[in-house]
Amino acid sequence: MAEADGLLLNRAAAAELRYPTEALIDGQSRAAADGARFANIGPGDGRSLGDVAAGGARDVDAAVASARAAFDDGRWRDQSAKAKKALLFAFADTLARHADELALLESLDTGKPIAQARGSDIPGSVEATRYYAEALDKLTGEVAPPSPTRLSYAVHEPLGVVGAIVPWNFPLLMAMWKVAPALAMGNSVVLKPAEQSPMTAIRMAELALEAGLPPGVLNVVPGTGEAAGRALAMHMDVDMVAFTGSGPVGRKLMRYSGDSNLKRISLELGGKSPQIVFPDCPDLDAAAQAAAWGVFYNQGQVCTSASRLLVHEDIKAEFVARVVEIARTIVPGDPLDPATSFGAMVSEAQMNTALRYIGIAEQEGGKPLLAGGRVRAETGGFYVAPTIFGIQPGVTLAREEVFGPVLGVIGFSSDEEAFAIANDTVYGLAAGIWTADVDRAHAAARRLKAGLVWINGWDSCDITMPFGGFKQSGFGRDRSMHALAKYADLKAITFTLRPSR
Ligand code: NAD
């Protein structure tokens, strides 16, 4: 099929879609109680994808009441592990059957390339659901050393009502990294998608109902952060809020918890991740690809984005030239074109943030290595091409998270200097190193202050490994068995025994 045909087919399929726009509370599709709505803008062309229910405190109250009732009457929690497992597998299968629809919705809503939504976001969401379906009876308890007078054991119990507040960069994937383990543990969930990307969250919850999840167990309240998000995080009957998003909102959630019922909070807050390349790098081509795609994937809107490239001075000129050459081939295109590998930024605001940081880098003496900036403005969409600066440690581009396709390159001359620069950030989400020296690699793994360390690869791990940050990148882990445990409380039970003899 010619590429142009693929674009036309995707446009035709998108035109046939029903865009999900309403809240899903207690198994019912509902407008906001006060009738409020917000405009959902498609970033690929700046046009409206329809007005979406803007949930507020009353809608959150209704969703939490529904989730609480579902939890308390045991319609989900008290099902056998076998039944829960079967249902979550059926849910995953239903998502997989609707993969094309979900991928189109995701691409329209976020501006991400359809190929990426099809190849990564949606399969990853299905995989997360299957992983936690399989995992749910593997989290066993503990038995204390035996005693003639006592039998003590500890069990994991679901928390109750879990609020999930998720961002727009990987809307369905981030939702399923939270919803799947929370449900697998037996909790009820109220999900608040980002206002930029509500569609797949709503559709996913409809599909959960279709797969047989009892009404009330999974509710979705779209709306703004300040209205729906705040109401959920301040709610006295929510037991935990799992969050992915910005640092300032993460801080607010901690305050909301303190000002309400001390609900548990988990935070995944992004970073300023370094990728360090030494002269003994075993594969400079692979490293150059990783340096470019590590920061430009998803238009740079990735919490683990490798936005700082640290290169040893001995190879810097040659290596950076390779990275620039690769970055030149990463050309923004129509998100619905199957040939596009780099799409639009999620919103005009996020595009302007990236452009502002480009302006700051120029003002602070950054050396332009690849001039990107805004492109495809004539489409009405929000496109920023890959942009690269040579920078010094300490400048704004070396410290602040851009969340856009802007790379800062920094030179170093020794291992000590590389580790010091890498750790010179308030964040600690991911870090990577390219070296053939095992001792250096081990030293890096130990010394880099980050929740994820990748050696001779970037973003090279999967659902089985914990994902989350050190320092101001947050706390609590998504993915892996640790995420399952996050949605549980540990109860210690002791029988006092009367020995018969
Ligand atoms: P954000 O933190 O404002 O939004 C994330 C989620 O939090 C959304 O669902 C939003 O509605 C909700 N929210 C906002 N204010 C809230 C409040 N007061 N109470 C409860 N919930 C609230 O992020 P953003 O404004 O969409 O993006 C801004 C920056 O956040 C980006 O530039 C980037 O640095 C960072 N970000 C990080 C990630 C990540 O994966 N760590 C993802 C998206 C954005």
Side-chain angles (χ1 to χ4, degrees):
M1 188 205 322
E3 277 158 17
D5 292 346
L7 175 58
L8 291 179
L9 280 177
N10 287 336
R11 282 193 182 144
E16 294 294 308
L17 286 180
R18 173 182 66 84
Y19 297 156
T21 54
E22 308 307 313
L24 194 79
I25 298 173
D26 208 26
Q28 306 286 324
S29 182
R30 293 192 196 174
D34 63 2
R37 304 191 78 75
F38 65 92
N40 186 19
I41 303 299
D45 59 8
R47 295 209 196 108
S48 172
L49 296 167
D51 289 347
V52 175
R58 278 156 67 197
D59 306 289
V60 168
D61 278 347
V64 173
S66 165
R68 174 59 62 193
F71 185 75
D72 285 349
D73 71 17
R75 74 186 78 156
W76 172 243
R77 175 186 54 163
D78 291 344
Q79 287 192 28
S80 68
K82 195 173 167 185
K84 284 201 202 84
K85 190 181 286 255
L87 207 142
L88 287 183
F89 273 124
F91 177 25
D93 291 346
T94 310
L95 291 176
R97 273 200 306 280
H98 288 80
D100 274 349
E101 176 193 355
L102 290 165
L104 276 169
L105 290 174
E106 204 75 305
S107 176
L108 287 164
D109 224 359
T110 62
K112 71 174 61 208
I114 183 71
Q116 181 191 316
R118 281 189 182 137
S120 178
D121 288 61
I122 309 305
S125 305
V126 172
E127 183 192 25
T129 311
R130 291 202 173 118
Y131 177 85
Y132 288 106
E134 189 54 59
L136 64 79
D137 56 2
K138 309 292 185 294
L139 190 66
T140 53
E142 297 161 18
V143 182
S147 144
T149 56
R150 202 177 282 164
L151 170 64
S152 294
Y153 58 93
V155 291
H156 295 279
E157 284 195 353
L159 295 168
V161 176
V162 171
I165 301 179
V166 295
W168 39 258
N169 52 346
F170 299 95
L172 187 62
L173 188 65
M174 294 302 101
M176 295 322 294
W177 281 8
K178 299 181 187 337
V179 169
L183 290 180
M185 213 42 242
N187 298 283
S188 298
V189 177
V190 178
L191 170 64
K192 209 298 280 174
E195 43 274 56
Q196 296 85 346
S197 57
M199 297 204 293
T200 50
I202 300 169
R203 188 71 186 118
M204 172 275 291
E206 291 172 355
L207 295 171
L209 278 178
E210 196 180 306
L213 193 71
V217 175
L218 174 59
N219 305 271
V220 180
V221 183
T224 64
E226 280 300 327
R230 184 176 183 282
L232 187 59
M234 285 291 288
H235 206 287
M236 294 300 286
D237 205 22
V238 170
D239 298 290
M240 174 182 182
V241 165
F243 174 73
T244 298
S246 64
V249 175
R251 286 167 199 273
K252 284 186 187 175
L253 294 180
M254 301 280 285
R255 284 188 216 113
Y256 297 158
S257 168
D259 288 345
S260 58
N261 61 344
L262 286 175
K263 57 180 66 63
R264 284 154 183 69
I265 300 285
S266 74
L267 302 176
E268 201 276 89
L269 304 177
K272 191 75 205 175
S273 299
Q275 192 162 194
I276 311 170
V277 186
F278 280 89
D280 64 354
C281 167
D283 186 343
L284 281 169
D285 284 330
Q289 287 287 346
W293 281 108
V295 62
F296 298 132
Y297 186 70
N298 208 42
Q299 300 70 249
Q301 304 163 126
V302 184
C303 47
T304 53
S305 171
S307 53
R308 290 184 298 153
L309 175 61
L310 277 51
V311 192
H312 195 281
E313 292 291 353
D314 287 355
I315 58 164
K316 192 170 141 206
E318 188 210 339
F319 185 76
V320 172
R322 282 195 204 200
V323 176
V324 170
E325 206 178 299
I326 294 164
R328 272 190 215 290
T329 68
I330 302 175
V331 180
D334 189 318
L336 288 187
D337 187 335
T340 294
S341 58
F342 184 101
M345 301 202 65
V346 76
S347 64
E348 189 168 16
Q350 200 59 28
M351 173 183 75
N352 288 336
T353 299
L355 296 176
R356 184 167 56 82
Y357 275 107
I358 290 171
I360 292 172
E362 285 164 353
Q363 280 162 24
E364 292 185 351
K367 182 179 165 199
L369 299 173
L370 181 64
R374 185 169 190 192
V375 293
R376 291 173 60 83
E378 71 288 355
T379 63
F382 314 126
Y383 298 86
V384 177
T387 306
I388 306 178
F389 287 98
I391 57 170
Q392 296 299 317
V395 299
T396 304
L397 193 58
R399 288 183 290 106
E400 295 186 16
E401 185 181 42
V402 177
F403 231 66
V406 189
L407 174 63
V409 181
I410 303 172
F412 69 86
S413 302
S414 68
D415 293 38
E416 282 308 311
E417 191 189 3
F419 298 152
I421 296 171
N423 287 333
D424 183 21
T425 167
V426 297
Y427 295 108
L429 186 54
I433 180 169
W434 292 80
T435 179
D437 180 332
V438 169
D439 294 328
R440 175 181 279 148
H442 275 298
R446 200 168 42 81
R447 294 187 50 187
L448 291 170
K449 293 185 185 130
L452 302 148
V453 175
W454 293 313
I455 294 161
N456 295 333
W458 188 257
D459 207 357
S460 44
C461 61
D462 62 24
I463 189 74
T464 61
M465 289 298 288
F467 182 99
F470 286 9
K471 295 159 58 179
Q472 291 184 34
S473 289
F475 50 84
R477 294 293 180 266
D478 286 323
R479 306 199 304 206
S480 81
M481 294 298 283
H482 295 278
L484 197 58
K486 184 170 87 173
Y487 296 103
D489 250 339
L490 206 52
K491 181 181 276 179
I493 300 167
T494 298
F495 282 66
T496 299
L497 307 174
R498 279 176 293 155
S500 54
R501 73 192 91 235

